[in-house]
Amino acid sequence: MSEHVVLTLTRIEATHLAELLGQFAELVGSSPAIPDPALERLTPDVYPEDAEASREFRSLTRSDLLRRRAEDARVVLDGLAAIEHEDELAPVEVSVDAAQLRAWMRTLAAVRLVIADRLGIVDDDEDRDPDDPRYGVYDWLGYRLELLVQTAEQGF
């Protein structure tokens, strides 16, 4: 059994992912005056049939959950920070150990949820224009997340 997985990205992918994660960390670390639907999607109602119980649960857990998401994003950002940025298209390897893998999976899934909210995606099976470039990042994150999940399932 391997003690780490190697994720291969191009430097430009790593740079763009780091930029996205910086924005994500800022979002989950903020306290917007106006409720942000993306943050609501990251902290959904646990009791949809009981609004009061959901509000109470969210008030007790939301800040901890968002703090954990920010900490997970920092783990991923630290892994990406080790990459030298010379040739943008050259492949680079990011080593992710067992302890970091869950943070990577949670972070990519959470960023994907935020993007889905911004694009109005409710269900992955929705009809959408496959040539619309706005969905490229969403799909790319899904592909990378799927690879990490498969690695975790194989007993990494």
Side-chain angles (χ1 to χ4, degrees):
M1 183 186 317
S2 175
E3 293 182 18
H4 69 279
V5 65
V6 176
L7 180 64
T8 303
L9 305 167
T10 63
R11 284 183 171 83
I12 197 164
E13 286 176 316
T15 299
H16 289 309
L17 182 56
E19 289 172 8
L20 272 174
L21 292 175
Q23 293 171 21
F24 176 75
E26 185 177 318
L27 173 69
V28 298
S30 70
S31 296
I34 299 171
D36 188 321
L39 288 177
E40 300 305 312
R41 197 158 180 185
L42 291 174
T43 57
D45 287 337
V46 293
Y47 306 111
E49 69 287 345
D50 187 342
E52 180 60 33
S54 278
R55 237 184 334 275
E56 183 178 342
F57 184 82
R58 185 178 284 161
S59 73
L60 295 171
T61 61
R62 181 180 173 131
S63 62
D64 287 340
L65 178 59
L66 294 177
R67 183 181 38 69
R68 187 189 83 198
R69 291 193 185 281
E71 290 168 1
D72 285 346
R74 177 57 43 208
V75 168
V76 179
L77 281 166
D78 288 347
L80 295 172
I83 297 173
E84 295 179 20
H85 298 279
E86 294 172 9
D87 178 4
E88 291 182 340
L89 298 178
V92 294
E93 295 182 340
V94 180
S95 181
V96 179
D97 68 28
Q100 298 165 332
L101 183 61
R102 290 190 190 278
W104 273 80
M105 290 189 301
R106 285 189 301 258
T107 299
L108 293 185
V111 171
R112 198 162 183 259
L113 277 174
V114 170
I115 292 171
D117 182 77
R118 299 295 194 240
L119 293 175
I121 298 171
V122 177
D123 183 348
D124 265 345
D125 294 329
E126 288 180 7
D127 287 334
R128 55 187 164 125
D129 180 359
D131 296 324
D132 186 337
R134 299 176 304 156
Y135 295 92
V137 173
Y138 176 80
D139 290 337
W140 181 84
L141 286 168
Y143 168 73
R144 291 298 179 179
L145 179 58
E146 182 179 347
L147 292 176
L148 291 174
V149 168
Q150 288 172 356
T151 298
E153 287 175 345
Q154 293 171 1
F156 151 78

